[in-house]
Amino acid sequence: SCWTIWGWNAPATGRMSAERAVEVKLLDPRFGDEWPMPAYATEASAGMDLRAALDAPLVLEPGDAALVPRGIALHLGDPQLCAVVLPRSGLGHRHGIVLGNGTGLIDADYQGPLLISVWNRGHEAFTIQPGDRIAQVMVLPVVRVSLQVVDTFADSARGTGGFGHTGVR
């Protein structure tokens, strides 16, 4: 089955309209029955939580990484959109559970299952239970560019200043 999870163009009321939708295939029957479907937690939430579609608890020892099935497949279908998978701040800060690839990118033409690369960068084992919220997904507009080779750039305030060039404070 497919389910619409996302709207686009927010009118002056701040509410999302359903002008655009993302197709979702349910790959795990627990979503919608045992576990809620992905949704924005508040009117101002930028991302939707992704839950672990595990059959049994997964213990991640310090330094371990694993691919955790999400139980859904997304199809954006619009080359002006992409989705990014981001870590959940609390898991990273409190337990050291972050994404193994930093940020996941879902292209508009991808239709396969979502797999979340999780990594325990912490100092203690951490157990992910079936249905735990382990990451979040955010749908973003894409701007495709062409590259223009130049010999020099126009001057800017930063110029070629690299890491830490503006000082400590």
Side-chain angles (χ1 to χ4, degrees), residues 6 8 20 22 76 78-83 106-108 139-142:
W6 185 72
W8 189 250
R20 291 193 181 182
V22 170
L76 300 169
D78 181 343
Q80 294 181 349
L81 299 176
C82 73
I106 303 169
D107 294 312
V139 178
L140 300 171
V142 171

Side-chain angles (χ1 to χ4, degrees), residues 93-158:
H93 179 72
R94 290 199 252 339
H95 305 288
I97 304 303
V98 295
L99 299 184
N101 56 340
T103 300
L105 175 64
I106 303 169
D107 294 312
D109 55 353
Y110 180 70
Q111 297 181 358
L114 254 59
L115 298 172
I116 310 298
S117 174
V118 292
W119 170 43
N120 184 351
R121 66 171 173 79
H123 302 291
E124 298 178 14
F126 183 81
T127 302
I128 299 173
Q129 299 290 338
D132 278 357
R133 295 175 298 153
I134 58 169
Q136 53 190 329
V137 64
M138 189 169 153
V139 178
L140 300 171
V142 171
V143 176
R144 294 183 58 114
V145 300
S146 60
L147 300 180
Q148 179 182 355
V149 177
V150 298
D151 293 324
T152 60
F153 296 120
D155 288 337
S156 71
R158 181 173 183 162

